Amino acid sequence: MLKQRGLTLSGFMTWAIILAFAALLAFKIGPTYRDNMTIEKHFTTIAKDSSFSSGVRGPIEQAYNRRMEIDRIDAISSKDIVIENAGRGITLSVSYTKCVPMVYNISACMEFNPRSR
């Protein structure tokens, strides 16, 4: 005798709601994490560039602004960047919070601390 296997309507609805919620999270929060990774990548690129090794703020801000304009990222401004002169070069870092509205009055707030490597 064969035993039937399958998915009930209530089981299907449960999994559909779970997957829809996961997709909502991915589509709402994903771009924020991508922006953070892009900021960190640009910090590392600028910090490794030997023309900015003096740590002068003006040219570093201009380089950052050009990169962020190309990538259309507005999470932070160039004035928020902390520039530290290390013994072997400069280190760029920043701390910021980004709140993303999810549904109704529910928001996801994330704190980021990108730093040049």
Side-chain angles (χ1 to χ4, degrees), residues 24-64:
L24 174 73
L25 281 176
F27 286 125
K28 292 279 192 162
I29 294 176
T32 305
Y33 278 97
R34 181 187 48 84
D35 289 350
N36 180 59
M37 288 187 294
T38 303
I39 290 170
E40 192 167 328
K41 180 184 75 169
H42 288 314
F43 278 0
T44 302
T45 303
I46 293 170
K48 287 183 179 179
D49 191 345
S50 61
S51 63
F52 302 119
S53 62
S54 63
V56 178
R57 187 164 194 82
I60 292 172
E61 285 182 0
Q62 289 174 353
Y64 173 79

Side-chain angles (χ1 to χ4, degrees), residues 74-96:
D74 60 353
I76 60 172
S77 75
S78 58
K79 303 292 183 200
D80 299 329
I81 300 172
V82 176
I83 303 169
E84 299 171 356
N85 274 332
R88 54 181 164 34
I90 61 170
T91 302
L92 305 176
S93 63
V94 70
S95 293
Y96 68 98

Side-chain angles (χ1 to χ4, degrees), residues 15-28 102-103 106:
W15 281 108
I17 290 170
I18 291 170
L19 291 175
F21 182 72
L24 174 73
L25 281 176
F27 286 125
K28 292 279 192 162
M102 300 300 281
V103 289
I106 300 172

